[in-house]
Amino acid sequence: MPEPVKKTISAFAKKPKTQEAEEGSSVVFEAETEKPDAKVKWQCNSKDIASGDKCVITANGNKHSLTIKAITQEDANVYAVIAGGSKVKFELKVVSKPEAPAEAPADGAREQTPAQPAAAPKEDKPSAPAHDAPPSEDGQPPDTRQDLTGLFTEKPQSGEVTVGESIMFVAKVNAESLLKKPTVKWFKGKWMDLASKSGKHLQLKEVYDRNTKVYTFEMQIIEAKPSFAGAYRCEVSSRDKFDSCNFDLTVHEARAAEGFDIRAAFRRTSIDGKEDSGELDFSTLLKKSSSFLKPSNRAVQMSTEPDVDVWKILSHAPASEYQKIAFQYGITDLRGMLKRLKKMKKEEKKSAAFLKKLDPAYQVTKGHKIKLAVEVANPDVDVKWLKNGQEINPSGRYIFESVGNMRYLTINNCSLADDAAYCCVVGEEKCTTELFVKEPPVLIVKNLEDQMVMKGERVELECEVSEEGANVKWEKDGVELTRDESFKYRFKKDGCKHVLIINEATKEDCGHYKVKTNGGESMAELMVQEKDLEVYQSIADLTVKAKDQAVFKCEVSDENVRGTWYKNGVEVKPDARVNITHIGRIHKLTIDEVKPEDEGDYTFVPDGYAFNLSAKLNFLEVKIDYVPRQDPPKIHLDCMGRTPESTIVVVAGNKLRLDVPITGDPAPTVVWTKGEKVITEGDRRVHVETTKGHCVFTIEGTEKQDEGIYSVVVRNPAGEDTADINVKVVDVPDPPQAPRILSVGEDSCVVQWDPPLFDGGQPITGYVLERKKKKSYRWMRLNFDPYTETTYEAKRMIEGVEYEMRVYAVNSIGMSRHSAASQPFVPVAPTSEPIGLCVDDISDTSISLKWRAPERIGSSELEGYGVEYCKEGTDEWIPAIQGMTDRTSLLIRDLTTGDKLQFRVRAYNMAGPSAPATLAQPVTIREIMQRPKIWLPRNLRQTLIKKVGDTVNLVIPFQGKPRPVVTWTRNGELLDPKSVSLRNSEIDTILFIRKTDRKHSGRYDLQVQIENVEDSANITLQIVDVPGPPQGLKIVDVWGFNVALEWKPPKDNGNCEITGYTIQKADKKTMEWFTVYEQYRRTNCVVSDLIMGNEYIFRAFAINLVGLSPEPCDTKDSAYIQKTGIVYKPPSYKEPDFSQAPKFTHPLVNRSIIAGYNATLSCSVRGIPKPKVTWYKNKMDISNEAKYRMLSKQGVLTLEIRKPCPFDGGVYMCKAVNDSGEDIVECKLEVRSQIVKEEKK
């Protein structure tokens, strides 16, 4: 049966109706709202109407009107008025002739659509207006589906449409909190998925707004047909979340034609016109509506008959009257009428099999279990469970339960395969639900790591999660990252690894990056620094002669940096003589066959950096003058590039080239020396070359030992010349010593190191520090500008994570190799101060303190507590003990009586001591008197009963200071130490009797006394034993088959009350004893049913708390039962029927017990014959359960539950059955958990 349409609450008290108007005239549409201040909007074809000459909009309180003037054919449209969440549509129909239109009433009855053939026959009421506008509080229909998560921000609303028109349903979902894009499905009825029906009449659309992160899903129905009417459902899901919404579509038939013949509805409908080719269809007569017969001036067929509901007549008429009714109303196809009538009579009634059906949907976490429950009407009926249409068989994972009317399906260890539709079938009826299995939270196994990169480098932030294929969300400074058009961020997924890739990092990329899953998150910091271009070798001034080659060379730190060469500010272009090269980090400008015009200032400017390297090219012009043939040699050093101290500085590893111009005629010989050693080309690194006018000394890859003073000597026959050149080789410094961690804080540490042993020949300009996590391989730089001190405080670390530090030394040449890593350390903060410091006890020479652990301990383990004291008036704190204590209490001894001391306690961990916890005021070392008080245990406040031979060990605590005097007495006399042992301490006293005797019974008095103050308590001890035998058992009388006995109580009752007697008889022939009475409380009795002709003797035992008396008391005489000579024939009587159905005379009582203590449930029953008793728990037989013991004694039934636990709670029932009937009684048992009290410290 289709679901009934749920009508929404309209915001309109009066709605505008469809009207017809003649061309050129005016028309007024009126509406009234429920609220006078409601905002009203008028629309035409879904477009807003503005007030003007053509359309006039007026509003007066809650009355609103729309006036359309000078109507034309173009004004014939669909109009709507909107107020709040309500929208009412109406039409304007324009006619060209002044004919009275047959107007359909706006609120007339609606025809039943074919989509609802089983609807109950009743008169229709006016339907609510369609709601296409966004829903409001008073316009939203209730959702019949269970709202699991509330994903919808706007739900589709029920609507109405006329045949041939279009309608749109809109659903909106906010995806801000979703890890996965939501998926939407549209259904018609229960199971028809509309995704496969998309086409001419149905279109589905999806729109995503990046700003609001809202998905809009639209379903548009085009040119509606009557079959489109019915119930629809929209479902949205996103991984582990689900939501759904039901709505209805009502399709109104077009206006019926005039002169409608009511009997036409009873004829068969067909396409080819054959009478018997279709099926009888008279559904249009199933409603009593004025639309069947339109008012007209012309005569209409059957106009003489009243408006008759034929279906109502047929449904109430007996089957014998069908033919008569059909003849009366002109129905010719009787067979089709009966077939249709039979189909229409099938009304869906309230479920007869189910009292409570399954919920629409369930949700469970993967790996957990879930129980589906239905309540059936018949407690004995069997049900079937189906999964996706397939029957489920009971197994370890699927458990079926039947308890009364309830039927349960339990699914253990749910997996994703259990995400399905489940159905419970009872006979022909069934109820269905859907189970959604939620995957467990995805955990982050490997966290993100902090990174520091240079500008333009590629960044990869990598994490590892616990499950392959899991979805994660990346954020930067709280803003979600997406794959944008520029592809700045790329997301890579490789199994459990997830990587965020940033190409060419910029300063804007600095910040905190976070990766989130549904089970955790991890955060790392990214720092991007500008690249500082370092110059390893600058260009030098050159002096060259004509036709020589000039080479300018420089070396920078970044091999990717390009640059431009300038001469006197003009860019140098390569040509046949000029060659510009860039190989790795080296940039060269080579000029072949130097000419005078090549002289000038040359500059190299790196691209992207605001500095340049400059040098000068000097052209040496050789003038040829007439000179004599003998010219002494001369060394020309004026053109050399030297420091003011005439020292040439070269960086280790670079080439040293000394190009010395010389003159002389004839050509002089050149000798290079270093100290006393003449330098030759024996070393592969050293090259000496002499050309005309030059001598060149070259060392490839200079080293530290190449430093020194080099001498060049030139000789010829005319003389010689000498020059000294001081060469200094500089290098990066040696690495500093391994840093030392001086102290640590919550997120910081202080590190110190020693300068390097060798500074590389240049002063140390500073240091660069790096840190890394112990388990990581990535070092992170802490400073980019050299730090001049040798002590540094590193911050922004994570507490509890192990780190290492290392240091680089920097001079003007460059940066040294890194030092050895420091010892691993953990940034931790001292704990908070201990709390609750107080004095626990004090004496003349000692004091006992106690406290509680600090509220915040941090990530480092607590090493212990330090306790100190200080005398009043001094500032010297003295340790109370050597080292630290792990306990939260301490006894300090050997103090001076009368001193006034202040105490404090500090907690220690790796970071050092915490803030101290100090007593509120100083304490004077002097014992304080405490009144004596005995704390008598509860079980000793009543008489303590023990059997002879048992052991008695009584521990009685007390208090009092100084130590009280303890005194024990019994019956006013001091205790004999031979029979009773005593042990006294400062806090308790113990009374011990190894083997009790009757003489130990009595009242024991305990007294504790301090000076003249005392406290006392008493204990009553009763030692019991078995009683003696009864006295004077004798036969008082013998008659018939009976013997009367009489006796006296025993002399010794065993120090306790006699609870009864046991009477036994024995035939003197066999001397076998048989018990006649047990627990008999009187001292006389009658023994009956003795055998005639036998002689009997009797004996009696006394019984007390301990047991039977060891010896009985026998009768001295015997009793003989005489035989009678008269044969008596008893009269025959009808055997009376004493049978009685069981009946409980005392019911079970509801109880509440504590877990762990045995409990009993008792009731009493009577019945003849003796009924059979069965105990049940929650309607389950527990007769064979070892946990329970059932007792029955003289009609009193007892169920003993041994050490119950909370699971033993429930409904217990006792059932008694015999041949005459049965009876039951039940009660509820509640088992409470034990309340554990904390021990007093």
Side-chain angles (χ1 to χ4, degrees):
M1 180 177 179
E3 297 178 346
V5 177
K6 296 184 179 292
K7 298 183 178 180
T8 57
I9 301 175
S10 176
F12 291 99
K14 180 181 178 182
K15 306 167 189 175
K17 299 180 181 181
T18 298
Q19 296 188 34
E20 289 187 0
E22 188 178 351
E23 283 184 298
S25 63
S26 300
V27 67
V28 178
F29 296 98
E30 295 180 348
E32 292 184 11
T33 58
E34 295 286 351
K35 299 178 181 179
D37 56 347
K39 294 183 179 180
V40 173
K41 182 167 59 176
W42 298 84
Q43 291 183 342
C44 175
N45 289 335
S46 300
K47 295 181 180 179
D48 292 348
I49 300 174
S51 182
D53 296 335
K54 177 72 174 179
C55 300
V56 179
I57 299 176
T58 60
N60 184 12
N62 65 338
K63 295 183 179 180
H64 302 266
S65 65
L66 169 65
T67 304
I68 303 175
K69 301 179 180 178
I71 296 174
T72 62
Q73 288 292 340
E74 288 74 13
D75 295 328
N77 288 311
V78 177
Y79 293 82
V81 59
I82 300 175
S86 299
K87 182 176 182 180
V88 178
K89 291 184 178 181
F90 53 93
E91 294 181 32
L92 172 60
K93 298 180 181 180
V94 181
V95 294
S96 57
K97 296 180 181 181
E99 297 178 359
E103 182 181 342
D107 295 334
R110 306 295 184 190
E111 293 183 2
Q112 186 72 15
T113 62
Q116 299 174 343
K122 60 176 72 174
E123 293 185 352
D124 279 5
K125 298 180 180 179
S127 299
H131 290 258
D132 294 337
S136 63
E137 291 183 1
D138 60 348
Q140 181 174 345
D143 189 1
T144 59
R145 186 75 180 243
Q146 182 183 3
D147 191 358
L148 299 179
T149 56
L151 296 179
F152 285 112
T153 57
E154 180 178 331
K155 296 183 179 181
Q157 304 296 314
S158 299
E160 299 179 0
V161 68
T162 306
V163 172
E165 295 183 356
S166 301
I167 188 171
M168 180 181 294
F169 298 94
V170 180
K172 293 185 179 181
V173 177
N174 191 341
E176 185 174 359
S177 61
L178 303 181
L179 295 178
K180 185 180 179 183
K181 174 186 174 183
T183 303
V184 166
K185 292 184 179 180
W186 299 86
F187 295 91
K188 184 175 187 296
K190 289 188 176 181
W191 308 114
M192 182 186 293
D193 191 347
L194 297 179
S196 60
K197 307 294 183 182
S198 181
K200 178 181 178 181
H201 295 283
L202 178 67
Q203 292 183 2
L204 303 179
K205 186 178 178 182
E206 173 186 330
V207 179
Y208 177 63
D209 189 344
R210 290 182 178 273
N211 297 326
T212 60
K213 296 183 180 180
V214 172
Y215 284 89
T216 302
F217 301 94
E218 298 177 353
M219 181 181 73
Q220 184 176 12
I221 297 176
I222 304 170
E223 298 180 3
K225 296 182 180 180
S227 59
F228 293 173
Y232 288 79
R233 185 171 80 255
C234 178
E235 292 185 357
V236 58
S237 60
S238 176
R239 197 168 182 83
D240 55 349
K241 297 184 179 180
F242 172 81
D243 199 0
S244 67
C245 173
N246 294 343
F247 58 96
D248 297 294
L249 173 62
T250 303
V251 180
H252 299 299
E253 292 287 350
R255 220 161 24 117
E258 294 182 358
F260 176 74
D261 188 355
I262 192 172
R263 291 174 294 182
F266 290 89
R267 300 193 181 99
R268 293 183 181 273
T269 58
S270 64
I271 298 175
D272 55 2
K274 294 182 180 180
E275 185 178 355
D276 296 331
S277 61
E279 183 183 356
L280 181 69
D281 183 10
F282 57 99
S283 60
T284 54
L285 294 181
L286 300 184
K287 294 181 180 179
K288 185 175 182 180
S289 173
S290 60
S291 62
F292 294 129
L293 298 174
K294 297 298 179 179
S296 176
N297 297 327
R298 295 175 296 173
V300 182
Q301 291 182 329
M302 300 183 66
S303 60
T304 57
E305 297 185 4
D307 191 7
V308 178
D309 190 346
V310 180
W311 164 247
K312 185 174 182 181
I313 298 175
L314 288 170
S315 62
H316 292 86
S320 59
E321 299 291 331
Y322 286 168
Q323 188 173 2
K324 180 180 178 181
I325 297 174
F327 177 77
Q328 180 180 352
Y329 292 97
I331 299 175
T332 58
D333 189 355
L334 186 59
R335 183 184 302 173
M337 182 199 73
L338 294 174
K339 183 178 179 182
R340 189 71 177 190
L341 182 62
K342 182 179 180 181
K343 189 181 298 184
M344 297 297 291
K345 274 195 170 182
K346 292 181 178 178
E347 286 187 20
E348 184 174 351
K349 300 180 180 178
K350 184 179 180 182
S351 175
F354 295 99
L355 298 180
K356 182 179 180 183
K357 295 187 177 182
L358 295 169
D359 291 339
Y362 293 86
Q363 180 173 299
V364 65
T365 304
K366 180 180 177 183
H368 291 200
K369 73 174 183 178
I370 189 171
K371 180 180 284 188
L372 308 180
V374 296
E375 185 176 0
V376 296
N378 185 0
D380 300 324
V381 74
D382 293 330
V383 301
K384 290 182 181 180
W385 292 93
L386 306 180
K387 174 184 174 182
N388 287 338
Q390 300 295 324
E391 185 173 355
I392 304 174
N393 296 320
S395 63
R397 292 187 63 247
Y398 298 102
I399 300 174
F400 297 171
E401 294 181 79
S402 175
V403 180
N405 292 72
M406 300 302 296
R407 300 294 183 268
Y408 300 97
L409 168 61
T410 303
I411 306 175
N412 294 317
N413 192 19
C414 290
S415 64
L416 294 180
D418 295 319
D419 192 300
Y422 290 82
C423 181
C424 179
V425 180
V426 177
E428 297 297 328
E429 293 194 36
K430 62 182 180 180
C431 59
T432 308
T433 187
E434 289 187 64
L435 176 62
F436 297 91
V437 179
K438 176 183 177 182
E439 293 192 52
V442 178
L443 305 178
I444 297 179
V445 179
K446 182 180 178 183
N447 291 320
L448 299 175
E449 294 184 355
D450 297 338
Q451 293 193 32
M452 178 178 292
V453 298
M454 305 305 294
K455 181 179 177 181
E457 291 184 356
R458 173 188 171 101
V459 180
E460 291 189 3
L461 296 172
E462 179 181 317
C463 73
E464 188 173 342
V465 297
S466 59
E467 186 176 341
E468 289 190 9
N471 289 325
V472 302
K473 183 166 70 172
W474 292 90
E475 292 183 357
K476 175 181 180 289
D477 297 330
V479 179
E480 184 179 358
L481 301 179
T482 58
R483 185 181 284 105
D484 52 12
E485 296 179 357
S486 62
F487 293 99
K488 181 175 183 61
Y489 300 107
R490 293 198 298 115
F491 307 98
K492 180 180 177 183
K493 184 187 298 184
D494 183 12
C496 295
K497 292 183 179 179
H498 294 259
V499 184
L500 170 63
I501 302 173
I502 304 175
N503 293 315
E504 299 182 1
T506 62
K507 292 289 288 183
E508 290 75 16
D509 295 323
C510 293
H512 291 82
Y513 289 80
K514 184 182 294 184
V515 59
K516 286 184 177 181
T517 67
N518 59 356
E521 62 182 33
S522 175
M523 185 172 66
E525 182 180 7
L526 174 63
M527 291 188 285
V528 181
Q529 297 290 340
E530 294 280 357
K531 289 185 179 179
D532 292 334
L533 189 66
E534 299 180 20
V535 180
Y536 292 158
Q537 181 179 355
S538 182
I539 57 178
D541 295 342
L542 296 178
T543 301
V544 295
K545 296 184 297 183
K547 301 296 184 177
D548 285 352
Q549 184 187 63
V551 179
F552 290 101
K553 183 179 80 171
C554 65
E555 185 178 357
V556 295
S557 60
D558 191 349
E559 61 183 18
N560 296 321
V561 171
R562 300 184 179 273
T564 307
W565 292 90
Y566 295 90
K567 175 190 173 186
N568 297 328
V570 179
E571 183 179 352
V572 177
K573 301 292 184 180
D575 55 19
R577 290 191 312 112
V578 179
N579 185 25
I580 299 175
T581 61
H582 172 206
I583 303 175
R585 296 181 298 183
I586 298 176
H587 298 260
K588 282 185 180 181
L589 171 63
T590 305
I591 305 174
D592 297 327
E593 299 180 2
V594 176
K595 299 178 180 180
E597 56 267 23
D598 293 331
E599 187 176 30
D601 293 327
Y602 287 83
T603 305
F604 174 75
V605 179
D607 293 344
Y609 294 91
F611 71 92
N612 56 55
L613 306 175
S614 298
K616 189 173 184 180
L617 176 63
N618 298 312
F619 181 77
L620 181 62
E621 184 176 359
V622 179
K623 297 181 180 180
I624 302 175
D625 295 329
Y626 175 77
V627 293
R629 296 293 296 174
Q630 295 289 335
D631 187 9
K634 180 68 175 176
I635 299 174
H636 303 277
L637 291 178
D638 295 337
C639 298
M640 294 293 294
R642 297 172 297 172
T643 61
E645 293 82 11
S646 298
T647 300
I648 296 177
V649 179
V650 62
V651 178
N654 289 352
K655 180 198 270 188
L656 171 63
R657 177 185 173 92
L658 301 178
D659 189 351
V660 180
I662 59 175
T663 58
D665 192 16
T669 60
V670 180
V671 178
W672 289 88
T673 61
K674 181 183 179 185
E676 300 297 331
K677 181 180 178 183
V678 177
I679 300 174
T680 63
E681 294 191 10
D683 191 346
R684 294 180 180 178
R685 298 186 302 113
V686 179
H687 303 282
V688 179
E689 181 183 358
T690 303
T691 61
K692 186 178 180 180
H694 284 273
C695 62
V696 180
F697 177 74
T698 307
I699 301 178
E700 299 287 347
T702 54
E703 298 176 354
K704 182 63 179 176
Q705 58 266 27
D706 296 330
E707 188 177 79
I709 298 176
Y710 290 81
S711 299
V712 57
V713 180
V714 292
R715 295 187 184 96
N716 70 359
E720 68 176 26
D721 193 7
T722 303
D724 294 333
I725 302 174
N726 186 15
V727 176
K728 183 177 182 180
V729 180
V730 295
D731 198 357
V732 295
D734 289 346
Q737 302 297 318
R740 305 177 297 277
I741 306 301
L742 300 183
S743 63
V744 295
E746 182 177 2
D747 62 347
S748 63
C749 74
V750 178
V751 60
Q752 189 181 58
W753 61 93
D754 295 328
L757 300 177
F758 174 61
D759 61 2
Q762 294 290 329
I764 300 294
T765 58
Y767 301 90
V768 174
L769 291 92
E770 290 183 338
R771 74 159 188 247
K772 79 173 182 70
K773 297 174 183 175
K774 182 71 168 60
K775 296 182 180 180
S776 174
Y777 298 98
R778 189 188 301 274
W779 288 90
M780 179 177 175
R781 185 168 292 186
L782 301 182
N783 64 305
F784 285 87
D785 296 330
Y787 183 74
T788 57
E789 304 295 332
T790 57
T791 303
Y792 183 82
E793 183 180 5
K795 298 182 179 180
R796 301 177 70 178
M797 290 184 279
I798 302 174
E799 184 179 8
V801 177
E802 204 170 14
Y803 286 91
E804 292 178 338
M805 302 280 291
R806 68 183 185 187
V807 186
Y808 297 84
V810 181
N811 63 6
S812 59
I813 305 303
M815 193 163 58
S816 70
R817 291 180 291 106
H818 61 78
S819 69
S822 68
Q823 291 294 326
F825 65 95
V826 179
V828 292
T831 69
S832 60
E833 69 275 6
I835 56 177
L837 176 63
C838 62
V839 177
D840 188 32
D841 194 8
I842 190 170
S843 67
D844 290 340
T845 59
S846 65
I847 187 172
S848 177
L849 302 176
K850 66 178 181 179
W851 59 90
R852 297 195 301 276
E855 292 183 351
R856 184 185 60 81
I857 296 178
S859 58
S860 177
E861 293 183 359
L862 186 65
E863 296 178 356
Y865 301 93
V867 183
E868 299 172 317
Y869 64 87
C870 173
K871 290 186 179 180
E872 189 179 29
T874 66
D875 296 332
E876 180 184 2
W877 288 93
I878 304 172
I881 56 172
Q882 294 295 329
M884 294 181 291
T885 178
D886 295 334
R887 306 180 63 183
T888 56
S889 60
L890 181 66
L891 177 62
I892 306 174
R893 305 178 185 274
D894 301 329
L895 299 176
T896 304
T897 304
D899 282 354
K900 203 168 186 179
L901 303 179
Q902 177 63 274
F903 293 87
R904 72 180 185 185
V905 179
R906 295 191 292 182
Y908 287 78
N909 66 356
M910 184 186 299
S914 68
T918 310
L919 291 175
Q921 56 187 4
V923 179
T924 303
I925 307 302
R926 182 178 294 112
E927 189 166 29
I928 302 173
M929 179 180 174
Q930 184 182 25
R931 293 181 62 87
K933 176 67 176 177
I934 299 174
W935 303 101
L936 190 64
R938 185 180 299 274
N939 63 317
L940 299 181
R941 297 178 186 177
Q942 56 190 4
T943 301
L944 180 63
I945 301 175
K946 292 286 185 178
K947 295 180 182 179
V948 172
D950 288 351
T951 300
V952 175
N953 187 17
L954 306 180
V955 180
I956 303 175
F958 58 80
Q959 68 179 26
K961 290 184 181 180
R963 181 172 177 172
V965 178
V966 181
T967 306
W968 282 93
T969 58
R970 183 169 70 90
N971 299 330
E973 299 179 359
L974 294 176
L975 298 182
D976 184 5
K978 294 181 180 180
S979 60
V980 179
S981 299
L982 299 175
R983 186 192 67 78
N984 299 324
S985 69
E986 294 181 353
I987 58 173
D988 59 20
T989 178
I990 299 176
L991 183 146
F992 179 74
I993 304 175
R994 184 175 301 276
K995 192 173 182 180
T996 56
D997 197 358
R998 294 272 290 274
K999 65 181 181 180
H1000 291 128
S1001 300
R1003 171 174 167 171
Y1004 290 79
D1005 295 313
L1006 171 63
Q1007 182 181 19
V1008 292
Q1009 183 175 0
I1010 300 176
E1011 297 179 357
N1012 58 346
V1013 183
E1014 65 179 24
D1015 192 18
S1016 60
N1018 60 79
I1019 301 169
T1020 302
L1021 181 62
Q1022 181 179 353
I1023 310 300
V1024 297
D1025 199 359
V1026 293
Q1031 300 182 33
L1033 178 61
K1034 60 182 180 181
I1035 299 172
V1036 178
D1037 192 8
V1038 179
W1039 73 97
F1041 306 100
N1042 308 309
V1043 174
L1045 302 177
E1046 191 178 79
W1047 64 91
K1048 295 181 180 179
K1051 289 183 178 180
D1052 181 13
N1053 61 0
N1055 200 23
C1056 63
E1057 181 185 1
I1058 299 296
T1059 59
Y1061 300 92
T1062 296
I1063 313 300
Q1064 294 181 339
K1065 69 179 179 178
D1067 188 352
K1068 291 190 71 173
K1069 296 178 182 178
T1070 61
M1071 290 304 295
E1072 293 182 5
W1073 292 95
F1074 298 93
T1075 301
V1076 179
Y1077 294 104
E1078 258 185 326
Q1079 293 290 345
Y1080 190 78
R1081 301 189 63 85
R1082 298 182 181 178
T1083 55
N1084 54 75
C1085 69
V1086 174
V1087 181
S1088 304
D1089 298 331
L1090 300 176
I1091 299 175
M1092 188 168 47
N1094 290 352
E1095 188 174 1
Y1096 293 91
I1097 59 175
F1098 303 91
R1099 67 181 184 184
F1101 294 88
I1103 306 174
N1104 68 356
L1105 182 64
V1106 181
L1108 289 172
S1109 58
E1111 299 293 333
C1113 176
D1114 298 338
T1115 56
K1116 296 179 179 179
D1117 301 327
S1118 60
Y1120 180 75
I1121 306 303
Q1122 296 289 340
K1123 292 183 179 180
T1124 57
I1126 302 174
V1127 178
Y1128 175 73
K1129 184 178 180 181
S1132 60
Y1133 297 99
K1134 185 177 180 181
E1135 185 72 15
D1137 184 13
F1138 295 101
S1139 62
Q1140 183 182 8
K1143 182 175 179 60
F1144 285 93
T1145 58
H1146 190 278
L1148 292 172
V1149 180
N1150 294 337
R1151 291 197 61 191
S1152 178
I1153 62 175
I1154 298 176
Y1157 295 89
N1158 290 355
T1160 59
L1161 301 176
S1162 299
C1163 62
S1164 60
V1165 67
R1166 67 183 179 189
I1168 301 174
K1170 183 178 179 181
K1172 178 183 177 181
V1173 178
T1174 308
W1175 289 88
Y1176 297 85
K1177 175 195 171 187
N1178 294 334
K1179 299 185 180 181
M1180 302 294 291
D1181 191 355
I1182 57 174
S1183 301
N1184 298 324
E1185 296 285 342
K1187 189 177 184 70
Y1188 305 93
R1189 187 171 68 162
M1190 296 78 172
L1191 304 176
S1192 176
K1193 186 174 182 181
Q1194 298 181 1
V1196 177
L1197 309 178
T1198 304
L1199 173 65
E1200 181 179 349
I1201 307 173
R1202 296 187 179 95
K1203 294 183 178 180
C1205 63
F1207 297 101
D1208 291 324
V1211 178
Y1212 286 81
M1213 182 177 71
C1214 181
K1215 184 177 181 180
V1217 181
N1218 65 4
D1219 295 336
S1220 300
E1222 65 180 41
D1223 194 10
I1224 61 173
V1225 65
E1226 62 182 21
C1227 71
K1228 291 184 180 179
L1229 178 65
E1230 178 187 2
V1231 181
R1232 305 192 307 273
S1233 301
Q1234 296 186 19
I1235 301 176
V1236 180
K1237 297 183 178 178
E1238 295 184 1
E1239 294 183 1
K1240 194 172 184 181
K1241 293 186 178 180

